Amino acid sequence: MNKFVFLCVCCLASAVSALVQPAPLFTDGMILQRDEPVQIWGTAEPEEEVTVRFAGQEKGTVTDSSNHWKITLDPMPASSKPRKLQVSSFGFQVSRTNVLVGEVWLAGGQSNMRTTMSFYTKTTGPDIDSADDSLLRMVTIPTKAYEGENDLRPQWVSASPETVGEFSATAWYFAKNLRAALDVPVGIITCAVGGTPAESWMSRETLLSTPQMSRVLENYEKIVRLKFPTDEAYTKYVQEEFPQMMQVYQQNKKQGITPNRKPAFAMGPHHSQRPCGLYDQMLRQTLPVTLKGVIWYQGENNANMQAGWHYREVFSALINQWRSDFRNPELPFLFVQLATFGTPKDIGPYWSELRESQRLVEQDVPNTGMAVLVDGGEQKNIHPHSKDKAGRRLALLALNQVYGEKDLVCHGPQLAKKTCRGGNIDLTFRDAGSGLILKPERITAFEICGADGVFVPAQAELNGNIITLSSPVVSSPCDVRYGWKKWFVPTLYNQEGLPASPFRTDNQPMASQGNVYFDAKLAQMKK
């Protein structure tokens, strides 16, 4: 072959291989889901034949008119043997190396899912130093709020002391517990952004599907137009005004000028909290990867926006949509209930109401599980260090509900029955494990009320599997609340150390009832 022909062939091979590509999620070092049909997809020239080869399988397809192709590999057993996945077209191929087969989970939510091991080095330092497991791998979808923000691409990475610091702490502890129990490769896809509502992770079609959720979109449009009457005004803000505000802030910071509040980026098409934005820009990068399940840690933002009551509809809709997107109507969805936060003086109801919505989602939506973390909060830190506890409890749920370890205790005590008896209320519980524990605390987490609906602190006594509540100021109690505060010290556990979720037996209207996301912000802007 003469030099000219050789160069032409090399150039053609380079051009074709650049056009024939698996999706960015599929990189060297990835893990594919075992025992399930595995979706592989990517791009190539229109109407081009594409072949995928992996683990002795060879599957072919033809790209559609929009340059996309997709194939399905047959189910495969777990394998820790590094193998090569090849994608070829027109006689040329692209390879992904060091590919394993095991368990694949997606970790979604806001900052308590996204925050990395390196953020908590005071508590995670020993685990970072000892992290040396080539069969535990993670890929993080780069944060991207709008089209064109960046061109960063995900990359699968194995756990080691040099890499695990950038892993989601909650997801890493979850994966570590699964690895120890299952002894197969475990991969986590982290797709989370701090400070974001559930509505950012849902499609426009889903938000338009009910009158209440569609109000979120209406509120968003009103907020943007109140601040920016025209698209041109928003563009000027993004390109000129906000950068100038940040420049002044940085200059004042260098000079030690106070007060000097950091400018908040205004709501609009570039904001990470806008409805559907992160669904379109980030979650879509993972669709429709084959998963074993989802873990989720989110809700703080919705609670702070006084939309906790509506969260039960929003979160249920998100779960159902993700199950549809990932083509698994029974996809396990395990989530963390909000941890305690704040001070005893913070008696606002909004976090309590969101926790109740989370509890009701677990109760009403099949194949879900809730890890209670009310004993893992910190008064002054909305990002508590209890990520090992969150990951372990999510793993307990997975091992019990997904992997069939039915004798494993994975829930704390849950109210089974309330009995009013004269001046007392008797409570019985399921999921008591080896027995109930009632820890003594100066401030009780139990409250009772009479017919007037006014709740007061209650004295609590444990007798076997029954807790008896009373108060000298309530002669005929009829309802009870437990842990109905943003911050409280939990007292009710089972012998396995799992705490009870906050609960109530009354049906009094909630403060956030009728609110949807952005209602509070819109009302504030109109003042």
Side-chain angles (χ1 to χ4, degrees):
M1 181 183 298
N2 64 46
K3 184 179 295 186
F4 175 76
V5 173
F6 176 77
L7 289 173
C8 288
V9 170
C10 289
C11 289
L12 180 60
S14 177
V16 172
S17 64
L19 294 173
V20 181
Q21 293 288 345
L25 181 64
F26 301 112
T27 76
D28 293 343
M30 64 183 170
I31 296 181
L32 303 178
Q33 177 60 43
R34 65 168 171 169
D35 300 331
E36 299 282 351
V38 173
Q39 306 288 332
I40 306 289
W41 70 94
T43 57
E45 284 292 281
E47 300 182 4
E48 198 69 61
E49 292 185 359
V50 176
T51 302
V52 175
R53 298 179 180 85
F54 181 71
Q57 297 188 48
E58 181 175 314
K59 301 284 185 174
T61 189
V62 176
T63 55
D64 61 23
S65 59
S66 60
N67 292 39
H68 292 94
W69 56 265
K70 180 175 64 66
I71 65 95
T72 303
L73 294 175
D74 297 331
M76 299 167 283
S79 174
S80 57
K81 176 184 177 181
R83 288 180 287 194
K84 182 183 296 186
L85 184 143
Q86 297 175 329
V87 180
S88 60
S89 178
F90 196 58
F92 300 96
Q93 70 181 24
V94 177
S95 297
R96 297 291 182 258
T97 61
N98 191 17
V99 179
L100 310 181
V101 180
E103 294 297 284
V104 182
W105 286 74
L106 188 140
Q110 58 180 108
S111 52
N112 271 307
M113 184 61 83
R114 181 64 184 85
T115 308
T116 62
M117 293 284 286
S118 61
F119 183 83
Y120 302 105
T121 51
K122 289 183 179 180
T123 52
T124 62
D127 290 316
I128 293 175
D129 293 340
S130 62
D132 187 14
D133 188 350
S134 63
L135 303 186
L136 192 165
R137 301 179 181 182
M138 187 172 294
V139 58
T140 301
I141 305 300
T143 299
K144 186 176 182 180
Y146 57 92
E147 187 64 35
E149 180 179 14
N150 61 63
D151 57 359
L152 300 175
R153 299 171 71 87
Q155 176 61 57
W156 283 88
V157 181
S158 299
S160 71
E162 293 73 33
T163 63
V164 79
E166 296 308 307
F167 284 17
S168 156
T170 298
W172 185 81
Y173 282 111
F174 171 76
K176 180 182 179 183
N177 280 275
L178 286 193
R179 281 277 301 123
L182 303 176
D183 195 27
V184 299
V186 174
I188 303 289
I189 303 168
T190 300
C191 190
V193 176
T196 56
E199 289 86 345
S200 292
W201 298 99
M202 302 165 68
S203 72
R204 184 175 182 84
E205 292 74 20
T206 296
L207 287 179
L208 287 172
S209 64
T210 73
Q212 286 287 88
M213 289 194 295
S214 65
R215 269 179 50 205
V216 176
L217 293 170
E218 295 169 6
N219 286 347
Y220 165 73
E221 296 292 343
K222 292 175 182 177
I223 288 169
V224 174
R225 286 310 173 207
L226 280 172
K227 179 75 173 178
F228 306 105
T230 64
D231 292 345
E232 291 75 17
Y234 182 76
T235 300
K236 182 178 180 182
Y237 169 80
V238 170
Q239 296 180 352
E240 300 177 20
E241 296 172 3
F242 186 74
Q244 290 172 1
M245 294 163 61
M246 285 298 297
Q247 185 177 17
V248 171
Y249 164 76
Q250 294 293 349
Q251 290 173 348
N252 290 345
K253 186 176 180 181
K254 287 181 181 179
Q255 297 173 21
I257 297 175
T258 57
N260 183 34
R261 176 175 289 185
K262 186 176 182 180
F265 191 58
M267 181 56 60
H270 286 194
H271 203 289
S272 62
Q273 291 177 359
R274 67 185 174 94
C276 316
L278 300 178
Y279 175 86
D280 289 335
Q281 299 301 323
M282 293 179 63
L283 187 70
R284 283 191 185 277
Q285 296 183 45
T286 72
L287 301 177
V289 69
T290 306
L291 301 174
K292 189 65 174 184
V294 173
I295 57 174
W296 178 263
Y297 195 159
Q298 189 274 335
E300 300 90 342
N301 189 272
N302 290 75
N304 290 339
M305 290 293 287
Q306 303 177 21
W309 183 86
H310 186 227
Y311 191 79
R312 64 197 67 184
E313 178 185 28
V314 170
F315 191 31
S316 298
L318 182 148
I319 292 170
N320 289 330
Q321 182 189 339
W322 283 30
R323 286 174 170 172
S324 175
D325 288 340
F326 288 108
R327 304 181 183 183
N328 182 351
E330 298 181 350
L331 184 71
F333 212 104
L334 312 178
F335 57 93
V336 179
Q337 189 181 48
L338 292 189
T340 44
F341 173 60
T343 70
K345 294 181 179 180
D346 188 349
I347 59 174
Y350 300 113
W351 278 48
S352 297
E353 294 175 7
L354 190 131
R355 289 194 194 110
E356 178 176 71
S357 288
Q358 292 177 311
R359 183 176 61 81
L360 292 175
V361 167
E362 181 189 38
Q363 172 184 299
D364 297 337
V365 180
N367 293 326
T368 62
M370 183 177 73
V372 177
L373 204 63
V374 292
D375 60 337
E378 298 175 26
Q379 287 192 347
K380 297 182 180 180
N381 188 0
I382 200 170
H383 305 119
H385 284 68
S386 54
K387 299 301 179 283
D388 56 340
K389 192 174 290 185
R392 182 175 67 83
R393 290 177 183 172
L394 288 167
L396 285 176
L397 290 167
L399 293 171
N400 175 269
Q401 297 180 199
V402 181
Y403 296 106
E405 296 188 24
K406 296 304 180 183
D407 294 332
L408 193 65
V409 177
C410 62
H411 283 100
Q414 300 187 69
L415 182 65
K417 185 180 180 182
K418 173 197 75 173
T419 303
C420 298
R421 182 172 53 83
N424 299 329
I425 294 182
D426 290 338
L427 305 177
T428 57
F429 295 85
R430 62 182 185 276
D431 292 310
S434 303
L436 296 181
I437 294 177
L438 185 62
K439 295 185 177 182
E441 289 292 341
R442 184 176 62 86
I443 301 177
T444 179
F446 286 98
E447 299 172 290
I448 57 174
C449 76
D452 60 2
V454 178
F455 281 91
V456 299
Q459 297 171 350
E461 294 183 3
L462 176 61
N463 298 292
N465 197 35
I466 298 176
I467 290 179
T468 300
L469 304 176
S470 63
S471 170
V473 299
V474 182
S475 59
S476 299
C478 58
D479 278 305
V480 56
R481 289 181 177 182
Y482 171 76
W484 201 257
K485 291 181 174 65
K486 187 175 183 180
W487 171 268
F488 70 99
V489 178
T491 56
L492 179 58
Y493 294 76
N494 57 26
Q495 293 282 354
E496 284 70 20
L498 298 176
S501 165
F503 63 85
R504 67 180 182 125
T505 65
D506 64 283
N507 59 1
Q508 294 184 29
M510 297 288 93
S512 63
Q513 194 161 335
N515 291 356
V516 302
Y517 196 79
F518 287 134
D519 271 355
K521 185 177 181 67
L522 185 59
Q524 185 180 31
M525 291 180 69
K526 288 182 175 180
K527 286 183 179 180

